[in-house]
């Protein structure tokens, strides 16, 4: 895996193709976390996947795509009207990203979201600014379901 020298890193490719081929929606209980590796940071995909797996998460589905402006606006709807909204939407719709649905090893949704946030914090050191950082993660179970549905449609 460490010798993979192609565009997509090995772990990302393996997870993407295995999960995308067999992807079936089993309702919201099939996953309890949603993460996006943001544009410009796909080269950190192996590290993100490793952190998720080492933390006990199971990768349920992945999808690489460029969000449309409308999709980015829908995902970040709760920020509409804030000063950074247009910059964030432009950034998120400006390049390839990877959406990841995960199942956590935890009982409650809050614990799963907290664990994802801990992983997100580990990647802050790579951030360019508050908008251009490595990971987006949903902040509630309702947003996990809503944002994932937008990304994977």
């Amino acid at each position: 895996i460490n010798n993979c020298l192609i565009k997509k890193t090995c772990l990302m490719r393996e997870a993407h193709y295995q999960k995308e081929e067999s992807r079936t929606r089993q309702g919201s209980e099939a996953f309890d976390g949603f993460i996006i590796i943001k544009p410009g940071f796909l080269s950190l995909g192996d590290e993100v996947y490793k952190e998720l797996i080492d933390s006990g998460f199971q990768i349920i589905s992945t999808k690489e795509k460029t969000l449309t402006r409308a999709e980015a606006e829908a995902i970040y709807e709760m920020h509409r009207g804030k000063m950074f909204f247009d910059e964030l939407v432009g950034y998120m719709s400006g390049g390839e990203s990877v959406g990841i649905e995960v199942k956590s090893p935890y009982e409650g949704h809050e614990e799963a979201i907290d664990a994802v946030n801990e992983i997100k914090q580990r990647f802050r050191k790579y951030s360019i600014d508050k908008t251009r950082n490595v990971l987006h993660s949903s902040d509630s179970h309702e947003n996990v379901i809503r944002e994932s549905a937008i990304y994977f449609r």
Side-chain angles (χ1 to χ4, degrees), residues 31-146:
F31 60 96
D32 54 11
F34 177 65
I35 301 160
I36 299 173
I37 303 175
K38 292 184 175 184
F41 294 102
L42 298 191
S43 63
L44 296 173
D46 272 355
E47 290 179 56
V48 171
Y49 279 80
K50 183 175 181 340
E51 287 287 336
L52 288 167
I53 292 165
D54 288 352
S55 297
F57 285 89
Q58 178 184 1
I59 296 169
I60 302 299
S61 304
T62 66
K63 184 175 185 178
E64 183 174 335
K65 70 184 280 185
T66 299
L67 290 168
T68 66
R69 182 163 184 87
E71 289 170 330
E73 286 177 350
I75 288 172
Y76 291 101
E77 179 63 33
M78 74 287 294
H79 298 302
R80 189 177 297 279
K82 295 180 181 173
M83 286 180 24
F84 61 87
F85 180 76
D86 285 333
E87 179 185 353
L88 177 60
V89 166
Y91 167 62
M92 289 302 294
S93 60
E96 291 285 312
S97 62
V98 175
I100 309 167
E101 293 173 331
V102 296
K103 180 72 175 165
S104 79
Y106 305 103
E107 294 291 323
H109 297 303
E110 296 301 318
E111 289 177 294
I113 289 167
D114 289 346
V116 168
N117 281 331
E118 285 181 28
I119 292 169
K120 184 177 174 179
Q121 292 302 317
R122 293 179 200 148
F123 287 90
R124 285 254 185 242
K125 63 186 173 191
Y126 300 108
S127 298
I128 296 168
D129 55 35
K130 286 186 175 187
T131 301
R132 294 176 293 170
N133 51 53
V134 179
L135 298 174
H136 163 84
S137 63
S138 301
D139 61 356
S140 69
H141 186 66
E142 294 76 23
N143 281 336
V144 166
I145 303 306
R146 184 184 67 77

Side-chain angles (χ1 to χ4, degrees), residues 4-10 12-13 42-43 64 96:
C4 189
L5 298 174
I6 56 178
K7 181 181 176 219
K8 293 180 190 171
T9 58
C10 294
M12 285 180 65
R13 252 187 336 149
L42 298 191
S43 63
E64 183 174 335
E96 291 285 312

